[in-house]
Amino acid sequence: MTSPRVEVDLSKIRHNTKTLVRRLKVHGISVTGVTKAVCGHPAIAQAMLDGGVAGLADARIANVRRLRLAGITCPVTLIRTPLLSQIDDVVELCDASYNSESEVIAALGDVAAKSGTLHNILLMVEMGDMREGILPGNVASIARHCVKTKGIALTGLAANFACLGGERPNAAKMAAFSTIADKIEGQYGPFSGVVSGGNSACLPWVATTEETGRTNDFRIGEAILLGVDPLNGEQIGGLFTDAFSLVAEVIEVKVKSETIVAAFGSAPPPNIRLVADNDCCSRSILALGRQDTDVLGLTMPSGTTYLGATSDHMVVQRAKPEIVVGSELKFQMNYSALMRVMANSDVVIKLVKPPASKTRRVAKTKKTHLDLV
Ligand SMILES: *Cc1c(COP(=O)(O)O)cnc(C)c1O
């Protein structure tokens, strides 16, 4: 079979989505499924829709186009503020976009008005992540600009946490965000769209509060796709962490030791060990490298130790039983490995169906603080 390839179990993505949608519904929070890590892969997006997301969101217009070309007609929101050079496409392909710049909002309004439509705007508020967002003190004036701009409808507000700054939202920040939402609505009328409180990193906050305030939506990617909390990589109780696997083929298997390397006069400096301490084991090379994925974001299969990687080779050490040239190894991926491999056009994406017995494994997952219910 083609290698390297990503195997995707859509039933696990559907399960993860359904579980999060159900748990958040109790708190009055809907889920927008974020497809950017899988580059808007239509079947994966559809699995999110089947799991009950209210809509989809992506950061890149090319990914949104891919969703649309595949016939996905649900609401799709651009979660990265639009590029001035892509305004036409944003108005054509997206129901709404998150915005933080007046100039961009004006351009969106121009294009929408000319084509006789309305483009929906959610204002992104800077709540401390220090990535994108309008400073809280400036939200009202930009909201006024939206209301006055032809072709624009101000439909909601959003905050983002733990992307650049890595800090989780806390009760005080979420309350401050709700206060801003109340204030803007007080001045410019009720939002017809969502008040989007954040991403996967917000899930623990919901578990610890009765007061979700104005937040009625989360934009969730990683927790659906990988079943983990993005900040610590811990499994979220009841979710699958293995919906995706990366499969690579073995292209060389040899026993090598530093003694051999030294014999050829090119021993590495003493502080670098190219061979693991236990140099009796066989080393295998996989046809996979840094150009394909974030190799440090791979979880090795049992009995396998990562030794190193270059652009096209990854060297691992295997305890017995040995593998042979032509055999395959399967790896789990973290978010960084996943998003890079999904953006690699040489990697084949294969949708797989699990044997029926496997779907029960999720019931055994250890319970964590992230259960939410
Ligand atoms: C990527 C992104 C998300 C989704 O984040 P996850 O951690 O994958 O849930 C949500 N909102 C914005 C603005 C993003 O850029």
Side-chain angles (χ1 to χ4, degrees), residues 34 36 79 124 131-132 160 199-200 219-222 335:
V34 177
K36 69 186 184 200
I79 43 173
M124 182 63 92
R131 202 179 68 177
E132 77 278 32
N160 197 41
N199 54 22
S200 298
R219 311 172 303 274
I220 302 208
E222 185 165 355
Y335 190 80

Side-chain angles (χ1 to χ4, degrees), residues 10-142:
L10 295 178
S11 68
K12 291 181 177 173
I13 291 169
R14 217 162 30 236
H15 167 92
N16 286 357
T17 310
K18 229 181 236 176
T19 307
L20 290 170
V21 166
R22 180 168 39 81
R23 290 177 184 177
L24 289 169
K25 192 173 176 191
V26 178
H27 300 274
I29 295 175
S30 61
V31 175
T32 296
V34 177
T35 54
K36 69 186 184 200
V38 295
C39 299
H41 191 289
I44 298 169
Q46 188 59 50
M48 291 180 174
L49 288 167
D50 294 344
V53 295
L56 298 171
D58 204 290
R60 294 171 191 250
I61 201 70
N63 296 342
V64 178
R65 184 180 297 284
R66 189 177 178 197
L67 293 169
R68 294 304 192 205
L69 285 174
I72 290 178
T73 54
C74 76
V76 178
T77 308
L78 194 69
I79 43 173
R80 184 173 67 180
T81 183
L83 281 68
L84 274 177
S85 55
Q86 295 178 341
I87 296 296
D88 289 348
D89 289 342
V90 176
V91 171
E92 183 197 335
L93 299 169
C94 304
D95 298 84
S97 57
Y98 287 89
N99 284 265
S100 55
E101 289 286 353
S102 303
E103 195 181 349
V104 175
I105 295 167
L108 288 164
D110 266 358
V111 170
K114 272 186 201 132
S115 51
T117 58
L118 269 183
H119 183 73
N120 297 322
I121 298 277
L122 293 103
L123 293 180
M124 182 63 92
V125 186
E126 172 59 65
M127 295 302 299
D129 187 45
M130 303 298 272
R131 202 179 68 177
E132 77 278 32
I134 303 160
L135 293 172
N138 298 337
V139 178
S141 72
I142 297 196

